[in-house]
Structures are given as C-alpha cells and as structure tokens.
Amino acid sequence: KQESRPEVQKKLNALLITPVQRIPRYKLLLDDIIKNTPRFHPDKDNLQEARTQIDAIAWYINDQIKDYENSRIMIDIQKSLQGGVPKIIKPDRKLIKQGNLMKVNKNGGHAQPRYVILFSDMLMYCKIKGNIIQGGMLELPKSDALEVCAVLP
C-alpha cells in the first residue's frame, strides 16, 4: 500500500531516472580526467576508450527512451481511433511523424482539420471528431477523436 501513495510514487520515479542521469556525469568526469592526464600517461588510452564506451551507452539509452516514448504515442493514437480500428500496434512499426493539417476545398470553402500519421510502413489520414484543443492542436489520447479516412498501404 505504501507504493500507491502519491509522495512515494514521486520519490520512486525520481530514483528510477537516477541511473540514466549518471551517464552524462560520467562522460563529463572522464572528459575532465582526460583533459588533465598527461599525454603519454599509461592510462590515457584506457581513459579515452572508457569515454568512447560511455558515449556508445549514452546513445543506446537515448535511442531506447525515444523508442519507448514513440510506443506510448502509438498507444495514445490507437486509443483515439474510432472503434479502435485499424490496429496500428506492431512490433516492427515505428512512428515517424504525426500532426494536424488543414484540408482546403477546391471551391474555397472553410478549411477542415485533419490528422495525419506517418509510420515506418503506413500512412493514415483521419478526420478529427469533436473540438480541437488549444491553438489548433489535438491532444491524444481522446476516445473516438480520430475517424480514419484512408490508410496507405
């Protein structure tokens, strides 16, 4: 029951991010050590190799965080599709870009809001149902907010 209390949850979330925050600190520390290590010191090569390894780890962690955030966005989009169709969650599918655009009629009528989502293997074109939130931007998830008009392929 302790874990469900809001103040405990906040502390837990802060602790979970701590290991990720250490990597940039290690990078800075190694940079400083390398800068202050004499050119021909026997540990210089090892320090530079450690710096290269820390860089690789930092890139890997950032990629994993980005993939996780994109997965969360895809889940929000899925929750927002009318009837939950089509199913967009697939292990190999990646979200590339998403956002609002205005469809302009040939006849010069009012522009109509649309929502376009580009995945690694598919493009979805949707009508926005209901009110657009704050400055023309749609906040997801919003149940049944998107009516799918077209899916390519």
Side-chain angles (χ1 to χ4, degrees), residues 135-153:
M137 296 303 291
L138 178 65
E139 288 184 20
L140 299 178
K142 191 174 183 182
S143 184
D144 292 331
L146 300 173
E147 177 186 333
V148 178
C149 297
V151 176
L152 300 172

Side-chain angles (χ1 to χ4, degrees), residues 110-122:
H110 285 41
Q112 300 166 339
R114 296 292 185 258
Y115 202 75
V116 178
I117 307 149
L118 177 63
F119 297 103
S120 53
D121 62 340
M122 177 173 85

Side-chain angles (χ1 to χ4, degrees), residues 2-144:
Q2 289 290 328
E3 294 87 14
S4 63
R5 292 180 26 215
E7 62 275 9
V8 173
Q9 191 65 36
K10 285 181 185 177
K11 288 178 185 175
L12 178 61
N13 287 338
L15 288 173
L16 289 174
I17 195 69
T18 301
V20 174
Q21 293 171 336
R22 284 189 181 147
I23 300 299
R25 289 185 196 148
Y26 294 153
K27 209 165 136 178
L28 293 171
L29 177 63
L30 279 169
D31 283 343
D32 196 39
I33 292 171
I34 290 168
K35 185 175 101 181
N36 293 301
T37 301
R39 178 188 253 168
F40 297 107
H41 192 280
D43 291 333
K44 184 86 169 190
D45 289 342
N46 289 336
L47 289 169
Q48 289 172 332
E49 177 60 27
R51 174 62 162 84
T52 301
Q53 293 292 329
I54 288 289
D55 272 344
I57 291 167
W59 279 101
Y60 176 78
I61 289 171
N62 287 338
D63 287 345
Q64 293 300 309
I65 290 170
K66 185 178 177 184
D67 286 348
Y68 171 76
E69 288 169 355
N70 279 343
S71 294
R72 298 270 314 174
I73 293 168
M74 286 178 61
I75 291 168
D76 288 347
I77 292 168
Q78 182 71 63
K79 289 177 180 178
S80 301
L81 298 176
Q82 280 189 341
V85 181
K87 299 291 182 204
I88 61 169
I89 309 296
K90 286 187 177 180
D92 58 338
R93 181 170 287 156
K94 303 285 183 215
L95 175 68
I96 308 290
K97 190 83 172 161
Q98 58 154 345
N100 300 329
L101 80 99
M102 298 303 283
K103 176 186 173 191
V104 181
N105 296 333
K106 290 183 238 179
N107 305 338
H110 285 41
Q112 300 166 339
R114 296 292 185 258
Y115 202 75
V116 178
I117 307 149
L118 177 63
F119 297 103
S120 53
D121 62 340
M122 177 173 85
L123 176 72
M124 271 187 2
Y125 176 78
C126 306
K127 286 183 184 177
I128 299 173
K129 302 309 241 174
N131 294 333
I132 296 177
I133 301 187
Q134 292 181 349
M137 296 303 291
L138 178 65
E139 288 184 20
L140 299 178
K142 191 174 183 182
S143 184
D144 292 331

